[in-house]
Amino acid sequence: KNVELTEDGMSARSTMNGQVIIVAEKINVEPIYVVQGDVNLKSGGNVIFLGTVFVRGSVDDGFKVKASGNIEVLGNVGKAEMDAEGDIIVHQGITGKSGGKIHSGKSVWAKFIENASVEASEFVVASEGIINSQVIANKKVVCQGKRATIVGGSIKSAEEIHAKTLGSVAGSETILEVGYDPRSKEKLAQLEDKITGFDESLEEVGLNIHTLENLKKAKKTLPEEKETFLVELTKKRDETLLEKENLLVDVKKIKEYLSSLKIKGKISASLRVFPGVRIFIKDAHLEVRNEFNSVTFINEANTVKITKYEELEEDLVRKK
């Protein structure tokens, strides 16, 4: 988009002023929308833009920012909704107040994340830590700063979770999961919940059909109202069974996909791990009951093994 090749086909040239981003392995130049202050009622409210959004202030509680490019915020993000096809960069912190939702088609970068729901297709990087939040990343979740603590909430990442400290002295429950595609695992859980709901519905409908059929046998016929109800129940049962069959096919596909993944997954703390941390690596599970210093957790023979601390392979610092 907004890019053309030179005559020799060896270079790409922008046809407009804007920001260069890579989307689906294609070079795009996106127009930039600048909010001079905070995103709030004074600035005109929610921002939806086919390009990159640059906010010189903060994003206040209750507002939305959506962009087909990147979203960059110089201040803080409160109990707000942000959705970008590219990166989301927050120079200060995300304080979701148990209602903020952040979704990025690439990565999320922030000083800290607190009481928020964050999802990224690549990385989630918070230099000062992640507190009581729900975080999903298709690659890595990393806290690399001076404090760099992950405490409370649920953190799910395909490849790695890495921080200075995991959990807290108070023993806050901190759930850390790696070693699989978190989005597919979430979808699998949702499908299995639906199947459970269908089973409950089928049991209830089956009992009602059985009652009406026994009544019909005993009396040879049913009042018109009850006969209509029997037909409706039978139709509902058949439709529910068909929906359940389709869901079971989807569940099988996701399980086969998850089994085929070669992701190993590891969880590392360069300084300390406190009791109260729950670790899941693929199908292995460990509840931390003792304090550990400078360790890496891996899955070995379907058991969580505690090994010598492994440094982060790449320095995840956003290039300005």
Side-chain angles (χ1 to χ4, degrees), residues 197-252:
F198 282 157
D199 285 339
E200 290 170 357
S201 175
L202 284 166
E203 186 178 355
E204 186 182 339
V205 168
L207 285 170
N208 287 333
I209 289 173
H210 184 66
T211 301
L212 288 169
E213 284 178 342
N214 284 343
L215 189 65
K216 191 173 182 178
K217 279 179 187 175
K219 296 192 173 182
K220 307 299 182 189
T221 184
L222 283 174
E224 187 179 342
E225 185 182 305
K226 282 192 166 74
E227 187 66 49
T228 303
F229 186 44
L230 178 59
V231 170
E232 286 173 356
L233 286 172
T234 306
K235 185 183 177 185
K236 184 182 178 181
R237 180 192 62 191
D238 294 344
E239 287 173 350
T240 304
L241 281 168
L242 182 61
E243 282 188 73
K244 183 185 170 182
E245 286 294 319
N246 291 333
L247 287 184
L248 286 169
V249 170
D250 291 341
V251 164
K252 188 182 176 186

Coordinates of all heavy atoms in Angstrom, one line a residue, residues 197-252:
G197 N -21.7 -27.8 27.2 CA -23.1 -27.2 27.2 C -24.1 -28.0 26.4 O -25.2 -28.2 26.7
F198 N -23.6 -28.5 25.2 CA -24.5 -29.2 24.3 C -24.9 -30.6 25.0 O -26.0 -31.0 24.9 CB -23.7 -29.6 23.0 CG -23.7 -28.4 22.0 CD1 -22.7 -28.3 21.0 CD2 -24.7 -27.4 22.1 CE1 -22.7 -27.3 20.1 CE2 -24.6 -26.3 21.2 CZ -23.7 -26.3 20.2
D199 N -23.9 -31.2 25.7 CA -24.2 -32.5 26.4 C -25.3 -32.3 27.4 O -26.2 -33.1 27.6 CB -22.9 -33.0 27.0 CG -22.0 -33.6 26.0 OD1 -22.4 -34.0 24.9 OD2 -20.8 -33.7 26.3
E200 N -25.2 -31.2 28.2 CA -26.2 -30.9 29.2 C -27.6 -30.6 28.6 O -28.6 -31.1 29.1 CB -25.8 -29.6 30.0 CG -24.6 -29.9 30.9 CD -24.0 -28.7 31.5 OE1 -24.5 -27.5 31.2 OE2 -23.0 -28.8 32.3
S201 N -27.5 -29.9 27.4 CA -28.8 -29.6 26.7 C -29.4 -30.9 26.2 O -30.6 -31.1 26.3 CB -28.5 -28.6 25.6 OG -29.7 -28.4 24.8
L202 N -28.6 -31.7 25.6 CA -29.0 -33.0 25.0 C -29.6 -33.9 26.1 O -30.6 -34.6 25.8 CB -27.9 -33.7 24.3 CG -27.5 -33.2 22.9 CD1 -26.1 -33.7 22.5 CD2 -28.6 -33.4 21.9
E203 N -29.0 -33.9 27.3 CA -29.6 -34.7 28.4 C -31.0 -34.2 28.8 O -31.9 -35.1 28.9 CB -28.6 -34.6 29.6 CG -29.0 -35.6 30.7 CD -28.1 -35.5 31.9 OE1 -27.0 -34.8 31.8 OE2 -28.3 -36.2 32.9
E204 N -31.1 -32.9 28.9 CA -32.4 -32.4 29.2 C -33.5 -32.6 28.2 O -34.6 -33.1 28.5 CB -32.3 -30.9 29.5 CG -33.6 -30.2 30.0 CD -33.4 -28.7 30.2 OE1 -32.3 -28.2 30.3 OE2 -34.5 -28.0 30.2
V205 N -33.1 -32.4 26.9 CA -34.0 -32.6 25.8 C -34.4 -34.1 25.7 O -35.6 -34.5 25.5 CB -33.4 -32.1 24.5 CG1 -34.2 -32.6 23.3 CG2 -33.3 -30.6 24.4
G206 N -33.4 -35.0 25.9 CA -33.6 -36.4 25.8 C -34.6 -36.9 26.9 O -35.5 -37.7 26.6
L207 N -34.5 -36.3 28.1 CA -35.5 -36.7 29.2 C -36.9 -36.3 28.8 O -37.9 -37.0 29.0 CB -35.1 -36.1 30.5 CG -33.8 -36.7 31.2 CD1 -33.4 -35.8 32.3 CD2 -34.2 -38.1 31.7
N208 N -37.0 -35.1 28.2 CA -38.4 -34.6 27.8 C -39.0 -35.4 26.7 O -40.2 -35.7 26.7 CB -38.3 -33.1 27.4 CG -38.0 -32.2 28.6 OD1 -38.4 -32.5 29.7 ND2 -37.4 -31.0 28.4
I209 N -38.1 -35.7 25.7 CA -38.6 -36.6 24.6 C -39.0 -37.9 25.1 O -40.1 -38.5 24.8 CB -37.5 -36.7 23.5 CG1 -37.3 -35.4 22.8 CG2 -37.8 -37.9 22.6 CD1 -36.1 -35.4 21.8
H210 N -38.2 -38.5 26.0 CA -38.6 -39.8 26.6 C -39.9 -39.8 27.3 O -40.7 -40.7 27.2 CB -37.4 -40.2 27.6 CG -37.6 -41.6 28.2 ND1 -37.5 -42.8 27.4 CD2 -37.9 -42.0 29.4 CE1 -37.7 -43.8 28.2 NE2 -37.9 -43.4 29.4
T211 N -40.1 -38.7 28.1 CA -41.4 -38.6 28.9 C -42.6 -38.5 27.9 O -43.6 -39.2 28.1 CB -41.3 -37.3 29.7 OG1 -40.2 -37.4 30.6 CG2 -42.6 -37.1 30.5
L212 N -42.5 -37.7 26.9 CA -43.6 -37.5 25.9 C -43.8 -38.8 25.1 O -45.0 -39.1 24.9 CB -43.3 -36.3 25.0 CG -43.3 -34.9 25.6 CD1 -42.8 -33.9 24.6 CD2 -44.8 -34.6 26.0
E213 N -42.8 -39.5 24.7 CA -42.9 -40.7 24.0 C -43.6 -41.8 24.8 O -44.4 -42.6 24.3 CB -41.6 -41.2 23.4 CG -41.1 -40.4 22.2 CD -39.7 -40.8 21.7 OE1 -39.0 -41.5 22.5 OE2 -39.3 -40.5 20.6
N214 N -43.2 -41.9 26.1 CA -43.9 -42.9 27.0 C -45.4 -42.5 27.2 O -46.2 -43.4 27.2 CB -43.2 -42.9 28.4 CG -41.9 -43.6 28.3 OD1 -41.6 -44.4 27.4 ND2 -41.0 -43.4 29.3
L215 N -45.6 -41.2 27.3 CA -47.0 -40.8 27.4 C -47.8 -41.1 26.1 O -49.0 -41.6 26.2 CB -47.1 -39.2 27.6 CG -48.4 -38.6 28.0 CD1 -48.9 -39.1 29.3 CD2 -48.3 -37.1 28.0
K216 N -47.2 -41.0 25.0 CA -47.8 -41.3 23.7 C -48.1 -42.8 23.6 O -49.2 -43.2 23.1 CB -46.9 -40.8 22.5 CG -47.6 -40.8 21.2 CD -46.7 -40.2 20.1 CE -47.4 -40.2 18.8 NZ -46.5 -39.5 17.8
K217 N -47.2 -43.6 24.1 CA -47.4 -45.0 24.0 C -48.6 -45.5 24.9 O -49.4 -46.3 24.6 CB -46.1 -45.8 24.5 CG -45.1 -45.9 23.5 CD -43.8 -46.6 24.0 CE -42.7 -46.6 23.0 NZ -41.4 -47.1 23.6
A218 N -48.6 -44.8 26.1 CA -49.7 -45.2 27.1 C -51.0 -44.7 26.6 O -52.0 -45.5 26.7 CB -49.3 -44.5 28.4
K219 N -51.1 -43.5 26.0 CA -52.4 -43.0 25.6 C -52.7 -43.1 24.1 O -53.8 -42.6 23.6 CB -52.5 -41.5 26.0 CG -52.4 -41.3 27.5 CD -52.8 -39.9 27.9 CE -52.9 -39.7 29.4 NZ -53.3 -38.4 29.8
K220 N -51.8 -43.7 23.4 CA -51.9 -43.9 21.9 C -51.8 -42.6 21.1 O -51.5 -42.6 19.9 CB -53.3 -44.6 21.6 CG -53.5 -45.9 22.3 CD -52.5 -47.0 22.0 CE -52.8 -48.3 22.7 NZ -51.6 -49.2 22.6
T221 N -52.1 -41.5 21.7 CA -52.1 -40.2 21.0 C -51.7 -39.1 22.0 O -51.9 -39.3 23.2 CB -53.4 -39.9 20.3 OG1 -53.2 -38.7 19.6 CG2 -54.5 -39.8 21.3
L222 N -51.3 -38.0 21.5 CA -51.0 -36.8 22.3 C -51.8 -35.6 22.0 O -52.2 -35.5 20.8 CB -49.5 -36.4 22.2 CG -48.4 -37.3 22.9 CD1 -47.0 -36.8 22.4 CD2 -48.5 -37.2 24.4
P223 N -52.1 -34.8 22.9 CA -52.8 -33.5 22.6 C -52.0 -32.8 21.5 O -50.7 -32.9 21.5 CB -52.9 -32.8 23.9 CG -52.7 -33.8 24.9 CD -51.9 -34.9 24.4
E224 N -52.6 -32.0 20.7 CA -51.9 -31.3 19.6 C -50.7 -30.5 20.1 O -49.6 -30.5 19.5 CB -52.9 -30.4 18.8 CG -52.3 -29.8 17.6 CD -53.3 -28.9 16.8 OE1 -54.5 -29.0 17.1 OE2 -52.8 -28.0 16.1
E225 N -50.9 -29.8 21.2 CA -49.9 -28.9 21.8 C -48.6 -29.7 22.2 O -47.5 -29.4 21.9 CB -50.5 -28.3 23.0 CG -49.6 -27.2 23.7 CD -50.2 -26.7 24.9 OE1 -51.3 -26.1 24.8 OE2 -49.6 -26.7 26.0
K226 N -48.9 -30.9 22.8 CA -47.8 -31.8 23.2 C -47.1 -32.4 22.0 O -45.9 -32.6 22.0 CB -48.2 -32.8 24.2 CG -48.4 -32.3 25.6 CD -48.6 -33.4 26.6 CE -48.5 -33.0 28.1 NZ -49.6 -32.2 28.6
E227 N -47.9 -32.8 21.0 CA -47.3 -33.4 19.8 C -46.4 -32.4 19.1 O -45.3 -32.8 18.6 CB -48.5 -33.8 18.8 CG -48.0 -34.6 17.6 CD -47.4 -35.9 17.9 OE1 -48.0 -36.7 18.7 OE2 -46.3 -36.2 17.4
T228 N -46.8 -31.1 19.0 CA -46.0 -30.1 18.4 C -44.7 -29.9 19.2 O -43.6 -29.7 18.6 CB -46.8 -28.7 18.4 OG1 -48.0 -28.9 17.7 CG2 -46.0 -27.6 17.7
F229 N -44.8 -29.9 20.5 CA -43.7 -29.8 21.4 C -42.7 -30.9 21.2 O -41.5 -30.7 21.1 CB -44.1 -29.7 22.9 CG -43.0 -29.4 23.8 CD1 -42.1 -28.4 23.6 CD2 -42.9 -30.2 25.0 CE1 -41.1 -28.2 24.5 CE2 -41.9 -29.9 25.9 CZ -41.0 -28.9 25.7
L230 N -43.2 -32.2 21.0 CA -42.4 -33.3 20.7 C -41.6 -33.2 19.4 O -40.4 -33.5 19.4 CB -43.2 -34.6 20.7 CG -42.5 -35.9 20.4 CD1 -41.4 -36.2 21.5 CD2 -43.5 -37.1 20.4
V231 N -42.3 -32.7 18.4 CA -41.6 -32.5 17.1 C -40.5 -31.4 17.2 O -39.4 -31.6 16.7 CB -42.7 -32.0 16.0 CG1 -42.0 -31.6 14.8 CG2 -43.6 -33.1 15.7
E232 N -40.8 -30.4 18.0 CA -39.8 -29.3 18.2 C -38.6 -29.8 19.0 O -37.4 -29.5 18.6 CB -40.4 -28.1 19.0 CG -41.4 -27.3 18.1 CD -42.1 -26.2 19.0 OE1 -41.9 -26.2 20.2 OE2 -42.9 -25.5 18.4
L233 N -38.8 -30.6 20.0 CA -37.7 -31.2 20.8 C -36.9 -32.1 20.0 O -35.6 -32.1 20.1 CB -38.3 -32.0 22.0 CG -38.9 -31.1 23.2 CD1 -39.5 -32.0 24.2 CD2 -37.7 -30.3 23.8
T234 N -37.5 -32.9 19.1 CA -36.8 -33.9 18.3 C -35.9 -33.1 17.3 O -34.7 -33.5 17.1 CB -37.7 -34.8 17.5 OG1 -38.6 -35.4 18.4 CG2 -37.0 -35.8 16.7
K235 N -36.4 -32.0 16.7 CA -35.7 -31.2 15.8 C -34.5 -30.5 16.5 O -33.4 -30.5 16.0 CB -36.6 -30.1 15.2 CG -35.9 -29.3 14.1 CD -36.9 -28.2 13.6 CE -36.2 -27.3 12.6 NZ -37.0 -26.1 12.2
K236 N -34.7 -30.1 17.7 CA -33.7 -29.4 18.5 C -32.6 -30.4 18.8 O -31.4 -30.1 18.7 CB -34.3 -28.8 19.8 CG -33.2 -28.1 20.6 CD -33.8 -27.5 21.9 CE -32.7 -26.8 22.7 NZ -33.2 -26.3 24.0
R237 N -33.0 -31.6 19.2 CA -32.0 -32.7 19.5 C -31.1 -33.0 18.3 O -29.9 -33.0 18.4 CB -32.7 -34.0 19.9 CG -31.7 -35.1 20.3 CD -32.5 -36.4 20.4 NE -33.1 -36.8 19.2 CZ -34.0 -37.8 19.0 NH1 -34.4 -38.5 20.1 NH2 -34.5 -38.1 17.9
D238 N -31.7 -33.1 17.1 CA -31.0 -33.4 15.9 C -30.0 -32.3 15.5 O -28.9 -32.6 15.1 CB -32.0 -33.7 14.7 CG -32.8 -35.0 15.0 OD1 -32.4 -35.8 15.8 OD2 -33.8 -35.2 14.3
E239 N -30.5 -31.1 15.6 CA -29.7 -29.9 15.3 C -28.5 -29.8 16.3 O -27.3 -29.5 15.9 CB -30.5 -28.6 15.4 CG -31.4 -28.5 14.2 CD -32.4 -27.3 14.4 OE1 -32.4 -26.7 15.5 OE2 -33.1 -26.9 13.4
T240 N -28.7 -30.1 17.6 CA -27.7 -30.0 18.6 C -26.6 -31.1 18.3 O -25.4 -30.9 18.5 CB -28.3 -30.1 20.0 OG1 -29.2 -29.1 20.2 CG2 -27.2 -30.0 21.0
L241 N -27.1 -32.3 18.0 CA -26.2 -33.4 17.7 C -25.3 -33.1 16.5 O -24.1 -33.4 16.5 CB -27.0 -34.7 17.4 CG -27.5 -35.4 18.7 CD1 -28.5 -36.5 18.2 CD2 -26.4 -36.0 19.5
L242 N -25.9 -32.4 15.5 CA -25.1 -32.1 14.3 C -24.0 -31.0 14.7 O -22.9 -31.1 14.2 CB -26.0 -31.5 13.2 CG -25.4 -31.1 11.9 CD1 -24.7 -32.3 11.2 CD2 -26.4 -30.5 10.9
E243 N -24.4 -30.0 15.5 CA -23.5 -29.0 15.9 C -22.4 -29.6 16.7 O -21.2 -29.2 16.6 CB -24.2 -27.9 16.7 CG -25.0 -26.9 15.9 CD -25.6 -25.8 16.7 OE1 -24.8 -24.9 17.1 OE2 -26.8 -25.7 16.9
K244 N -22.7 -30.5 17.6 CA -21.7 -31.2 18.4 C -20.7 -31.9 17.6 O -19.5 -31.9 17.8 CB -22.4 -32.1 19.4 CG -21.4 -32.8 20.4 CD -22.1 -33.8 21.3 CE -21.1 -34.6 22.0 NZ -21.7 -35.6 22.9
E245 N -21.3 -32.6 16.6 CA -20.4 -33.4 15.6 C -19.4 -32.5 15.0 O -18.2 -32.8 14.9 CB -21.2 -34.1 14.6 CG -22.0 -35.3 15.1 CD -21.1 -36.5 15.5 OE1 -20.1 -36.7 14.8 OE2 -21.4 -37.1 16.5
N246 N -19.9 -31.3 14.5 CA -19.0 -30.4 13.8 C -17.9 -29.8 14.8 O -16.7 -29.7 14.4 CB -19.8 -29.2 13.3 CG -20.7 -29.6 12.1 OD1 -20.3 -30.5 11.4 ND2 -21.7 -28.9 11.9
L247 N -18.3 -29.6 16.1 CA -17.3 -29.1 17.1 C -16.3 -30.2 17.4 O -15.1 -29.9 17.5 CB -18.1 -28.7 18.3 CG -18.9 -27.4 18.3 CD1 -19.4 -27.1 19.7 CD2 -18.0 -26.2 17.9
L248 N -16.7 -31.4 17.4 CA -15.8 -32.5 17.7 C -14.7 -32.6 16.6 O -13.6 -33.0 16.9 CB -16.5 -33.8 17.9 CG -17.3 -34.0 19.2 CD1 -18.3 -35.2 19.1 CD2 -16.4 -34.1 20.4
V249 N -15.1 -32.4 15.4 CA -14.2 -32.4 14.3 C -13.2 -31.3 14.5 O -12.0 -31.5 14.3 CB -14.9 -32.2 12.9 CG1 -13.9 -32.0 11.8 CG2 -15.8 -33.5 12.6
D250 N -13.6 -30.1 14.8 CA -12.7 -28.9 15.1 C -11.8 -29.2 16.2 O -10.6 -28.9 16.2 CB -13.6 -27.7 15.4 CG -14.3 -27.2 14.1 OD1 -13.9 -27.5 13.0 OD2 -15.3 -26.4 14.3
V251 N -12.3 -29.8 17.3 CA -11.5 -30.2 18.5 C -10.4 -31.1 18.1 O -9.2 -31.0 18.5 CB -12.4 -30.8 19.6 CG1 -11.5 -31.5 20.6 CG2 -13.2 -29.7 20.3
K252 N -10.7 -32.1 17.3 CA -9.7 -33.1 16.8 C -8.6 -32.5 16.0 O -7.4 -32.7 16.2 CB -10.4 -34.2 16.0 CG -9.5 -35.4 15.6 CD -10.2 -36.4 14.8 CE -9.2 -37.5 14.3 NZ -9.9 -38.4 13.4

